Amino acid sequence: MTTPADHAPSGPRIPEAVHRRRWAILGVLMLSLLIVVLDNSILNVAVKTISTPAPTGLGATQSQLEWAINAYTLVFAGLLFSAGLVGDRLGRKKVLIAGIVVFGIGSALAAESGSPGELIAFRALMALGAAFVMPATLAVLMNVFERQEQPKAIGIWAGGVGLAIAIGPITGGLLLDHFWWGSVFLVNVPIVIIALVLMVWLVPDSRDPRPGRIDPVGVLLSVVGLVLLVYGIIKGGELADFTDAKVLATIAAGLVVLTAFVLFEKRSDHPSLDVTYFKNKVFSAAMAAIALVFFALMGVTFFSVFYTQSVRGYSPLQSGLLMLPLAAAQMIFAPRARLVVDRLGNKVTTGGGLVLLAGTLAAFATFQADTPIWLLEVVFFLMGLGMAHVMTPTSVVIMQALPREKAGSASALSNTFRQVGGALGIAVLGSVLSTSYRNGIEGKLDALPPGLRATAGESIEATLGVAQKLGAQGRALVTPANDAFLHAMHLTALCGAGVALIGALVAALYLPGRQPAGQQGDREQELVVAGE
């Protein structure tokens, strides 16, 4: 039985010409990462605009908005398994370029969507390209940096997510203030062109000398299982009834298909997901932590936009600017989190980050319509600080768990759990928000015509839209809508905090503590790849 470290020679393996330009290459990789993450952070600011009726928006319901987000995350997560293998097999540079081209085409089409259905379809096309971009960026990083520099490089890479979180809402707000909603997608196209030019010039190609075969059955099972599971959860929230027979049947079918996926992968000689990696508790704990942090964060980010825009009355641009402290904290602390790991160990660093994240999510349960806005800014900053000390340590553990030749597979696993966690967070916490809001507002809609009651009860934006059409009669709905939403937000925030605390418990139980100075950097190499 061997460890991943046995696969790699002890001496330098990076060609000198590549080593000299490694930081420039990292910059190009971060630009590629930027457009993938930017898209979701921009969309979060635009959801209120897209939910308004034409011509301002598309008149999308809350369920359609969740699918506009989840169409991207589900396709992305479902294809990441094979995307990593394709990059390992055909060459990461080729896959990176092809993925960015598809992403750019999908962005241009999404900008011209004429209905929520078209937007969902083109978002799925964007995800097809993004699925090949994300794992390739980390895989290339692992092949241009020596092992001792990898934690620093991964920290900077993780900080790039913070940069995207900052740029996305601000860019989205500026665009929505001056252009139509589709501009938030069209802005990706010039970034794609710049990234393509720099990639062709700077990024070296690399591949696995012993790649595995593609696993179409595994890919199909994973996508079908995830779609069924998340669709059932969203439908339950839309109906405000998780005991509905169709909801239960859809969720159960998703769980059955995902179980079949795991069993198939376990028996396959060329799996998309090598489930033997998860026999190691440290590796599994790192995966669980990164999934749970995105479950909590994405669900809460989804409702925070409606809090700042619908309840507090801020514009999309102002709402984007309010997210700056979160992004700044992540940009500042993610590259430095490795120093905290060296001093305190993964257990304390990651567990502490998750506890801090849980505290910030719980703080949302105290927010009212007149809460001082500086308190929200403090909470966002601490949220970014907590995330920085979860993302970097877990990414380093995961990426250093496998030999360099398998970098695409390791990156695909990390990003898959991140995206699946985010998709389920939006679905589950979005359904909690939707169900709670509907239950809180339905008693206040009796004065409306029967045909408007169901529509007005879907979300706060739907209620306010109906109120605006009714004029003076509708103004009486504004305060009850705000109250119902705040109650729903408080409940959803506490659910998110509970999920983050579960992640902290997993980190405390299974992640390694501080190692003696002579063993620093070797702990991750103890992760066993069973069967080799």
Side-chain angles (χ1 to χ4, degrees):
M1 184 174 289
T2 61
T3 66
D6 297 326
H7 292 263
S10 57
R13 300 178 53 205
I14 310 299
E16 182 59 30
V18 173
H19 183 73
R20 281 199 305 267
R21 64 177 191 265
R22 65 195 185 282
W23 297 109
I25 294 169
L26 178 59
V28 178
L29 297 178
M30 288 178 65
L31 184 61
S32 308
L33 173 73
L34 180 72
I35 61 172
V36 173
V37 180
L38 183 80
D39 180 72
N40 267 334
S41 58
I42 279 184
L43 185 60
N44 283 335
V45 174
V47 289
K48 180 179 181 292
T49 305
I50 295 173
S51 69
T52 57
T56 304
L58 293 176
T61 65
Q62 183 154 320
S63 176
Q64 289 170 328
L65 288 174
E66 289 177 19
W67 274 109
I69 296 172
N70 283 328
Y72 185 91
T73 51
L74 284 174
V75 174
F76 189 22
L79 293 178
L80 275 169
F81 296 133
S82 286
L85 286 173
V86 169
D88 288 344
R89 185 183 186 91
L90 301 181
R92 285 111 188 191
K93 180 176 182 176
K94 297 183 185 71
V95 165
L96 191 56
I97 289 173
I100 286 199
V101 168
V102 172
F103 183 88
I105 292 170
S107 297
L109 292 172
E112 299 299 327
S113 298
S115 68
E118 286 185 9
L119 177 61
I120 291 168
F122 293 138
R123 288 272 297 161
L125 179 63
M126 293 169 67
L128 174 64
F132 288 86
V133 172
M134 182 70 92
T137 60
L138 260 182
V140 171
L141 182 154
M142 298 300 286
N143 280 273
V144 298
F145 285 90
E146 296 295 351
R147 186 177 181 86
Q148 63 271 21
E149 282 190 319
Q150 287 171 2
K152 181 179 180 181
I154 290 174
I156 295 171
W157 180 91
V161 175
L163 181 64
I165 291 172
I167 294 175
I170 296 169
T171 305
L174 284 169
L175 291 169
L176 291 172
D177 275 1
H178 295 92
F179 303 102
W180 93 115
W181 65 265
S183 61
V184 301
F185 298 109
L186 199 61
V187 72
N188 291 332
V189 176
I191 304 175
V192 164
I193 294 170
I194 294 169
L196 280 172
V197 172
L198 293 174
M199 266 178 222
V200 172
W201 178 33
L202 286 172
V203 175
D205 207 355
S206 61
R207 66 182 71 193
D208 183 353
R210 297 185 300 276
R213 287 184 289 153
I214 304 301
D215 175 27
V217 175
V219 172
L220 181 63
L221 288 173
S222 65
V223 173
V224 171
L226 286 170
V227 169
L228 286 172
L229 177 63
V230 175
Y231 177 79
I233 293 169
I234 291 176
K235 194 66 178 176
E238 187 180 333
L239 297 174
D241 182 11
F242 281 90
T243 62
D244 181 84
K246 291 181 180 178
V247 171
L248 290 175
T250 306
I251 292 174
L255 293 173
V256 168
V257 174
L258 289 174
T259 301
F261 165 71
V262 172
L263 294 174
F264 180 84
E265 296 298 282
K266 195 173 181 179
R267 290 169 172 77
S268 175
D269 59 357
H270 59 286
S272 295
L273 172 62
D274 190 342
V275 294
T276 60
Y277 296 152
F278 293 92
K279 290 183 178 180
N280 187 279
K281 292 179 180 178
V282 175
F283 183 80
S284 297
M287 285 292 189
I290 208 164
L292 290 171
V293 73
F294 271 82
F295 181 103
L297 184 76
M298 291 298 289
V300 172
T301 302
F302 184 73
F303 72 63
S304 68
V305 173
F306 288 98
Y307 171 68
T308 56
Q309 294 186 34
S310 298
V311 177
R312 302 299 297 261
Y314 289 100
S315 70
L317 175 58
Q318 291 170 328
S319 182
L321 289 170
L322 289 174
M323 297 288 288
L324 268 178
L326 188 154
Q330 197 168 341
M331 289 170 60
I332 293 167
F333 293 105
R336 294 169 171 80
R338 63 189 173 84
L339 303 176
V340 182
V341 173
D342 289 345
R343 179 179 292 273
L344 301 177
N346 267 300
K347 185 191 299 287
V348 173
T349 304
T350 304
L354 282 160
V355 169
L356 180 57
L357 181 63
T360 60
L361 296 177
F364 272 95
T366 68
F367 286 176
Q368 302 296 331
D370 57 354
T371 298
I373 204 63
W374 66 265
L375 285 175
L376 178 66
E377 298 297 85
V378 171
V379 166
F380 274 145
F381 183 84
L382 294 175
M383 187 179 289
L385 176 63
M387 276 196 68
H389 289 88
V390 175
M391 285 184 60
T392 299
T394 52
S395 295
V396 171
V397 168
I398 293 164
M399 291 307 297
Q400 293 191 339
L402 303 184
R404 191 177 303 203
E405 292 79 8
K406 302 293 183 184
S409 299
S411 177
L413 276 172
S414 172
N415 286 295
T416 297
F417 273 70
R418 183 179 300 160
Q419 293 301 320
V420 169
L424 290 177
I426 291 170
V428 174
L429 297 183
S431 294
V432 171
L433 182 74
S434 177
T435 301
S436 180
Y437 180 78
R438 186 185 291 268
N439 291 337
I441 196 65
E442 60 185 359
K444 307 293 193 290
L445 302 177
D446 294 340
L448 295 180
L452 286 178
R453 290 175 195 168
T455 301
E458 285 183 356
S459 66
I460 184 173
E461 203 52 42
T463 307
L464 295 178
V466 170
Q468 187 174 13
K469 289 179 182 178
L470 294 176
Q473 181 188 356
R475 279 197 288 273
L477 289 175
V478 173
T479 298
N482 286 343
D483 291 343
F485 178 82
L486 288 170
H487 174 74
M489 183 182 81
H490 294 165
L491 178 62
T492 307
L494 290 175
C495 291
V499 170
L501 285 177
I502 293 172
L505 180 62
V506 169
L509 290 175
Y510 299 115
L511 287 182
R514 183 176 181 273
Q515 297 296 305
Q519 298 178 28
Q520 297 262 353
D522 293 333
R523 181 64 183 86
E524 292 85 0
Q525 296 183 19
E526 297 172 10
L527 296 170
V528 176
V529 180
E532 292 188 331

